[in-house]
C-alpha cells in the first residue's frame, strides 16, 4: 500500500480507528477475501481501495453511501472500489434497487447509515442472499442498538459465530463469521 493505515486515518480523520481497520485488513488477508461489500463509505473505503490496488485482494469491492456530499469527497480517492450513492428509505436503510447488490460476498462491512437502521442490515442481507457460509461480517458502531448484533443475526435465522468484539475511538465493533444461511 502506498500509505499505511495509521497515515491514512491521520490524514483523512476517521471514525473507524486503526485497531478496527487493521483487524479487517488482517482478516481479509488471512481469508484471501475475493469480494467486499461495504455499507457506509469513508476513510475505510479509501483503505480498501489501496488494499485492492496493492494486493489485488479483494478482487471486487462495492460500497454504498447515502450522503451525496460524502460520496463526492471520497470518490476522487478511489481507483477500483465501486462507490454507489443510494438515498435512505423511510426506515433508515439504503434504498437499494430490487436486484442490488446482486451477488454473494466474502466480507461485509456495516458502517452506516448512522443510528439504529444498521439493525436492518441483517434481514436485508439475508433477503437479498448476500451472505453465504464463511462470509465475514464486520459491524462498526455496534452500540447503536440495545444488546448485541449477534442476537439480531440469530433472530433472522443466520447462524453466526462472534470472532472478535472490541472498541476504538469509544465506538464498539463486532466481527462475525456466518456459519450458514
Amino acid at each position: 500500500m502506498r500509505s499505511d493505515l495509521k497515515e491514512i486515518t491521520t490524514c483523512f480523520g476517521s471514525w473507524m480507528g486503526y485497531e478496527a481497520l487493521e483487524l479487517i485488513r488482517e482478516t481479509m488477508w488471512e481469508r484471501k477475501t475475493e469480494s467486499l461489500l461495504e455499507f457506509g463509505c469513508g476513510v475505510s473505503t479509501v483503505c480498501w481501495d489501496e488494499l485492492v490496488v496493492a494486493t489485488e485482494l479483494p478482487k471486487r469491492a462495492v460500497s454504498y453511501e447515502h450522503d451525496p456530499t460524502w460520496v463526492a469527497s471520497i470518490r476522487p480517492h478511489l481507483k477500483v472500489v465501486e462507490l454507489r450513492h443510494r438515498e435512505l428509505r423511510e426506515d433508515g436503510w439504503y434504498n437499494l434497487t430490487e436486484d442490488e447488490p446482486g451477488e454473494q460476498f466474502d466480507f461485509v462491512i456495516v458502517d452506516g447509515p448512522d443510528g439504529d437502521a444498521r439493525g436492518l442490515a441483517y434481514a436485508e442481507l439475508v433477503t437479498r442472499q448476500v451472505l453465504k457460509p464463511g462470509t465475514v461480517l464486520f459491524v462498526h458502531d455496534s452500540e447503536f442498538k440495545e444488546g448485541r448484533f449477534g442476537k439480531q443475526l440469530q433472530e433472522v435465522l443466520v447462524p453466526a459465530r462472534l470472532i472478535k468484539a472490541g472498541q476504538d475511538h469509544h465506538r464498539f465493533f463486532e466481527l462475525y463469521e456466518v456459519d450458514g444461511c
Side-chain angles (χ1 to χ4, degrees):
M1 290 176 67
R2 84 178 134 87
S3 304
D4 69 18
L5 293 176
K6 284 185 180 177
E7 182 181 327
I8 292 170
T9 57
T10 301
C11 181
F12 283 92
S14 177
W15 287 108
M16 189 182 294
Y18 173 74
E19 180 183 344
L21 290 169
E22 190 60 33
L23 173 65
I24 293 168
R25 182 170 72 168
E26 287 174 5
T27 305
M28 284 197 298
W29 182 255
E30 288 169 6
R31 293 169 180 263
K32 303 294 186 242
T33 298
E34 296 274 328
S35 56
L36 169 69
L37 175 62
E38 177 184 50
F39 291 99
C41 83
V43 173
S44 59
T45 313
V46 176
C47 293
W48 316 143
D49 192 78
E50 290 198 6
L51 188 65
V52 172
V53 169
T55 66
E56 296 183 358
L57 286 175
K59 294 182 184 310
R60 176 157 166 68
V62 177
S63 183
Y64 287 93
E65 174 58 42
H66 72 279
D67 183 339
T69 305
W70 195 230
V71 168
S73 297
I74 296 296
R75 186 167 273 141
H77 301 284
L78 302 178
K79 294 178 183 69
V80 293
V81 170
E82 182 181 338
L83 180 55
R84 299 176 182 176
H85 172 250
R86 296 295 181 271
E87 297 295 330
L88 298 180
R89 303 183 311 216
E90 280 186 33
D91 63 6
W93 186 247
Y94 296 94
N95 191 21
L96 305 178
T97 63
E98 190 174 304
D99 60 344
E100 285 184 300
E103 62 189 279
Q104 293 183 318
F105 288 84
D106 298 322
F107 207 108
V108 178
I109 298 171
V110 179
D111 191 23
D114 289 337
D116 289 343
R118 285 176 207 206
L120 300 170
Y122 306 110
E124 287 282 328
L125 295 174
V126 170
T127 302
R128 293 172 182 277
Q129 301 178 348
V130 171
L131 305 176
K132 61 184 177 181
T135 295
V136 174
L137 178 61
F138 179 88
V139 182
H140 196 244
D141 299 326
S142 57
E143 72 276 9
F144 274 123
K145 276 297 220 186
E146 291 181 23
R148 306 307 273 175
F149 275 80
K151 182 179 178 195
Q152 292 177 351
L153 281 172
Q154 299 300 332
E155 288 172 2
V156 292
L157 305 175
V158 177
R161 176 177 60 86
L162 180 65
I163 297 172
K164 180 167 182 162
Q167 182 178 357
D168 62 10
H169 294 314
H170 309 289
R171 293 172 179 260
F172 295 93
F173 60 84
E174 297 169 6
L175 186 69
Y176 294 91
E177 179 177 13
V178 175
D179 293 328
C181 297

